[in-house]
Amino acid sequence: MILIQTIGAFFATVALAIILGVPKKFTLLAGLDGAIGWLVYLLLGSEQEHIVLHTFIAALVVALVSHSFARVLKAPVTVFLISGILPLVPGTGMYRIAYYLIEGNSSLVGFYLSQTILVAGVIAIAIFIMDTIFRILQKKVPIKKKKEDQS
């Protein structure tokens, strides 16, 4: 089941990359990025009580892979990141919000609304953290030269 879902995440990510106009030479790598993120999420487990933590870790992995691909291939990070994050986007949560809103079950609407906002938030935070780490590592520390006494 994990293999089938990972393959599905790969094709969904490739499809989004094509729709977004990602250059053809990067579409399969963008798909690989999404598949890796989804595989990490599945391997961590998809229990309802840990969904936010698992999404956070998987989003960190997607951002790490995106930055790595971008550095190696000299491409913008967004080429891989925007489509690679697709499998982690909380679409099911948004569906459940709409469903329970129509059903009139306000307690479940509140639960799924807060969970969906948390999941979307941790995806953004994970991207920000990884971006910050790469920016810090990218900065070159200037070497101080010794000043010679001019006496």
Side-chain angles (χ1 to χ4, degrees):
M1 189 63 147
I2 289 177
L3 180 63
I4 293 170
Q5 286 191 30
T6 304
I7 292 169
F10 172 81
F11 285 116
T13 307
V14 167
L16 181 65
I18 291 168
I19 291 169
L20 293 175
V22 170
K24 290 180 181 180
K25 62 184 176 180
F26 299 137
T27 55
L28 294 179
L29 290 174
L32 181 63
D33 190 15
I36 289 170
W38 189 246
L39 179 63
V40 168
Y41 176 79
L42 291 175
L43 291 176
L44 290 171
S46 57
E47 301 90 29
Q48 195 67 28
E49 63 270 5
H50 300 296
I51 192 169
V52 176
L53 176 64
H54 296 170
T55 303
F56 176 71
I57 294 168
L60 279 174
V61 171
V62 168
L64 174 66
V65 171
S66 296
H67 277 279
S68 301
F69 283 165
R71 299 296 184 275
V72 170
L73 301 169
K74 297 185 183 348
V77 176
T78 54
V79 167
F80 306 105
L81 185 61
I82 299 299
S83 48
I85 209 76
L86 171 75
L88 300 176
V89 172
T92 304
M94 291 183 273
Y95 170 79
R96 288 179 178 156
I97 292 167
Y99 178 79
Y100 289 117
L101 193 61
I102 292 168
E103 289 286 315
N105 191 336
S106 60
S107 62
L108 284 176
V109 169
F111 171 77
Y112 286 114
L113 178 63
S114 63
Q115 184 183 61
T116 301
I117 290 171
L118 285 172
V119 168
V122 297
I123 290 171
I125 291 169
I127 292 169
F128 175 75
I129 288 171
M130 198 55 66
D131 187 54
T132 302
I133 290 170
F134 270 85
R135 284 182 192 267
I136 290 170
L137 293 176
Q138 187 177 359
K139 285 188 176 182
K140 296 179 182 173
V141 180
I143 300 172
K144 291 185 178 181
K145 294 182 181 180
K146 283 188 175 180
K147 291 185 178 180
E148 296 178 15
D149 292 332
Q150 297 179 359
S151 308

